[in-house]
Amino acid sequence: MPFYLTTPIYYVNATPHIGNAYTTIAADVLSRHHRQRGHDTFFLTGTDEHGSKIARVAAEQGLEPQDFVDRMAPQWQELPKRLSATPDFFIRTSDEGHKAVVQEFLQRIYDAGEIYEGTYDGLYCTACESFYTEAELVGGRCPQHGTVPERVEEKNYFFRLSAYQDRLLALYDENPEYVLPRFRYNEARSFIAGGLDDISVSRASQRWGIPVPWDTDQVIYVWVDALINYWSALTYAREGEDLRETLWPDVRHLLGKDILKFHCVIWPALLLAAGYEVPKQLFVHGFLLLDERKISKSVGNVIDPLDLIDVYGVDPVRFYLLREVQFGHDGNVSVQGLHDRYERELGNDLGNLLSRTTAMVSRYRDGRIPDAPWDESPINEVITELQVEVASRLDRFDLTGALEKIWEAVRGLNAYVESQAPWVLAREGEQTRLDQTLYDLVDGLRAVAIALAAYLPETAPRILGALGQPGDLAWNGVAYGGALPAGDIEPASPLYPRVESPAAAA
Ligand code: MSP
């Protein structure tokens, strides 16, 4: 089964902050999970390099736009690596392969008669790379950036978006889960139902972009250029292969709520106009906030994810963001919050469980894991539920709910240690029950490690290693009774060593 997942492509002029890292981390968790299930997974991310915003910043720095983007792109290419994210391809919209496909794509829409020439007179926010109507402005300012938009009047090419209203409504009505979560589906659908204006798809006053194929005095509007990345990448990501044959339209887009209209309305319409199939599904996530304000470069309250990673490690940062904020909603994050969950959940709940389990195997069974699965084991049920529930929640992009399910299992195992009290069983010579209990703890932790591997890619192999278990992460390993008898188990060193104070990362 193909599973093709994308992140938005990031504006290359900025430096990565925790809000952008969030989308990449979420996409990576889903991609890793689908790989564990044996799906034909393809994860795409990259950079958005054209448009007036980039041209302006390049000019401010006295650089040619191409030199500027070439200097900025490496830090974005580095970001997935620093986040332990595993994209299968990194697209840059300045790639020749992308540019050619964008031109071909637009030409098809033009040839279909869906593009016409007109004059644009409107208010443009460069930070959004988007036009606004007077009604959409708040006190005459951009609703996202609070800046005063510029008046732009020029000859442009227009796409007949208005003609796609009925087809888009039908698409939404036939696919009640086309956009998730549901309140975002409603938002997109009402926007369409409210009537669509045609959109300008070219810029006459700019040079930094992909030339309009039939009128090279104009460049293609940066958002049209950018959206097509999801399609173009498949044509050249693998030399000699056209991945569209296997992966399109099985694509799922992850995006933040600020760019819903482009993805949930304009993008499917552009595909329909070009005669291609629309994406399978879109998931819209919320914003990470700091003190209730969006974390963004323009607000100036950015948290550098790399600073947090330096202090806490990458797994805790991945874990914290997906656990703290219900995926799909807005939510506050803070360094103190990360510190607390690091100590309480990763250090105590998970780390101590491993330390205690390995210490008891070492002490009571001389480092040998007893081969003692048993029919009435309560852990059997816990793990079976984990296998089914985590997968089904992740199929609905419920990354927070799936993680909560795993944490229930972690807490369940901790409660099992207390209720079985292996130290009492040892003292009283209850050998069979002691064997069964130790087996259950090892097997439960092994299954939890596999279930957690998509979230904690560095920690999971360490847990399996400490338990003397093979590193195979296949999803069917999340089943009771998979622990292999192993010897030489030693008390594990702490998974998450103490970090003195959150100030270090602030
Ligand atoms: N270049 C466009 C996307 C083109 S996709 C065809 C763009 N880039 S961006 O760099 O500004 O934003 C990229 C992603 O980061 C968006 O999904 C956006 O929602 C996300 N985030 C930026 N700040 C954010 C938070 N504070 N919280 C969560 N995500 C946010 O838009």
Side-chain angles (χ1 to χ4, degrees):
M1 195 184 86
F3 184 83
Y4 169 28
L5 186 71
T6 69
T7 70
I9 48 174
Y10 302 102
Y11 284 128
V12 79
N13 60 297
T15 45
H17 64 68
I18 195 96
N20 325 121
Y22 185 52
T23 320
T24 301
I25 290 169
D28 188 61
V29 169
L30 288 163
S31 302
R32 285 180 183 268
H33 171 76
H34 282 273
R35 284 188 207 116
Q36 286 183 277
R37 277 159 68 186
H39 299 157
D40 177 15
T41 304
F42 193 79
F43 166 17
L44 179 71
T45 189
T47 43
D48 191 350
E49 305 193 354
H50 293 130
S52 48
K53 172 161 44 189
I54 309 268
R56 182 172 301 178
V57 181
E60 279 164 15
Q61 300 193 10
L63 291 169
E64 285 301 316
Q66 188 64 57
D67 292 337
F68 173 70
V69 298
D70 287 345
R71 280 188 200 194
M72 298 299 285
Q75 62 178 339
W76 286 98
Q77 287 166 317
E78 204 50 40
L79 181 69
K81 294 181 192 132
R82 295 296 310 274
L83 299 172
S84 289
T86 50
D88 293 288
F89 190 63
F90 189 100
I91 187 170
R92 296 181 54 187
T93 55
S94 59
D95 291 346
E96 292 305 324
H98 171 72
K99 293 195 263 185
V101 173
V102 170
Q103 289 190 318
E104 182 193 309
F105 195 108
L106 207 69
Q107 183 74 50
R108 281 174 71 104
I109 304 182
Y110 186 69
D111 293 343
E114 299 294 61
I115 288 178
Y116 63 92
E117 201 178 331
T119 305
Y120 205 95
D121 177 10
L123 295 161
Y124 196 72
C125 170
T126 309
C128 292
E129 295 282 14
S130 180
F131 280 108
Y132 282 99
T133 60
E134 299 277 2
E136 286 169 326
L137 300 179
V138 178
R141 291 169 179 272
C142 165
Q144 310 254 12
H145 295 94
T147 46
V148 178
E150 292 168 52
R151 182 156 289 281
V152 174
E153 187 187 339
E154 58 179 38
K155 185 187 92 169
N156 277 178
Y157 291 99
F158 285 81
F159 167 55
R160 280 183 218 288
L161 181 63
S162 57
Y164 288 81
Q165 182 180 19
D166 291 345
R167 271 169 280 181
L168 290 174
L169 286 177
L171 170 68
Y172 274 71
D173 292 342
E174 283 157 23
N175 300 281
E177 301 202 326
Y178 192 58
V179 173
L180 291 175
R182 184 68 190 180
F183 66 102
R184 296 293 175 204
Y185 170 99
N186 292 337
E187 182 181 332
R189 197 189 174 287
S190 341
F191 184 84
I192 300 165
L196 300 172
D197 292 329
D198 292 348
I199 58 160
S200 151
V201 291
S202 70
R203 292 289 177 271
S205 53
Q206 284 168 33
R207 302 270 27 98
W208 179 236
I210 304 175
V212 171
W214 62 88
D215 178 353
T216 50
D217 286 342
Q218 301 224 14
V219 297
I220 297 171
Y221 175 37
V222 61
W223 262 103
V224 172
D225 162 352
L227 287 164
I228 297 173
N229 92 86
Y230 303 134
W231 168 263
S232 70
L234 300 184
T235 65
Y236 68 97
R238 292 272 176 282
E239 177 120 32
E241 271 183 79
D242 188 345
L243 294 172
R244 291 177 299 184
E245 289 164 14
T246 46
L247 298 176
W248 202 271
D250 278 304
V251 57
R252 278 132 178 118
H253 300 305
L254 266 193
L255 52 134
K257 65 177 184 178
D258 50 333
I259 52 181
L260 172 141
K261 194 173 76 182
F262 293 103
H263 283 82
C264 302
V265 182
I266 298 176
W267 176 226
L270 287 169
L271 284 160
L272 289 170
Y276 298 129
E277 287 183 82
V278 298
K280 179 135 273 170
Q281 201 171 36
L282 302 100
F283 186 91
V284 184
H285 67 71
F287 282 159
L288 298 181
L289 311 171
L290 187 66
D291 301 328
E292 305 299 336
R293 299 197 67 193
K294 182 192 175 194
I295 296 171
S296 85
K297 208 179 166 185
S298 38
V299 176
N301 61 346
V302 296
I303 300 180
D304 186 336
L306 304 184
D307 289 346
L308 298 180
I309 290 170
D310 285 344
V311 176
Y312 291 95
V314 67
D315 282 8
V317 173
R318 293 167 62 107
F319 173 83
Y320 172 67
L321 295 180
L322 294 170
R323 184 133 172 84
E324 183 73 21
V325 180
Q326 173 63 43
F327 195 56
H329 294 260
D330 290 353
N332 255 302
V333 293
S334 65
V335 181
Q336 183 65 47
L338 166 63
H339 187 84
D340 291 348
R341 283 201 192 263
Y342 178 88
E343 282 195 337
R344 186 160 35 89
E345 298 192 318
L346 292 174
N348 291 346
D349 294 352
L350 183 63
N352 283 351
L353 178 64
L354 178 71
S355 303
R356 292 173 90 181
T357 301
T358 49
M360 290 187 293
V361 171
S362 162
R363 177 152 176 207
Y364 302 131
R365 287 296 178 259
D366 215 11
R368 274 219 77 74
I369 295 171
D371 187 15
W374 52 299
D375 287 345
E376 292 89 52
S377 163
I379 300 305
N380 188 346
E381 203 179 315
V382 172
I383 300 178
T384 307
E385 203 181 307
L386 206 57
Q387 177 180 62
V388 177
E389 268 296 315
V390 171
S392 87
R393 290 177 190 204
L394 289 179
D395 283 344
R396 299 194 305 271
F397 297 83
D398 182 6
L399 287 121
T400 311
L403 188 50
E404 173 55 22
K405 197 76 220 169
I406 301 172
W407 227 253
E408 276 172 24
V410 171
R411 287 191 296 251
L413 289 167
N414 278 310
Y416 193 59
V417 177
E418 295 307 320
S419 66
Q420 298 306 304
W423 46 94
V424 176
L425 300 177
R427 199 169 56 224
E428 294 177 355
E430 297 252 24
Q431 302 305 345
T432 307
R433 273 190 60 203
L434 181 58
D435 279 347
Q436 290 170 337
T437 303
L438 293 178
Y439 182 86
D440 281 357
L441 290 173
V442 168
D443 200 44
L445 255 173
R446 178 197 61 78
V448 159
I450 297 174
L452 271 176
Y455 294 86
L456 305 178
E458 293 187 349
T459 307
R462 289 175 56 203
I463 298 176
L464 294 173
L467 299 171
Q469 300 300 307
D472 182 7
L473 298 175
W475 192 250
N476 59 18
V478 186
Y480 180 68
L484 302 178
D488 301 326
I489 304 300
E490 290 170 8
S493 54
L495 281 179
Y496 299 101
R498 282 190 74 80
V499 168
E500 277 320 318
S501 102

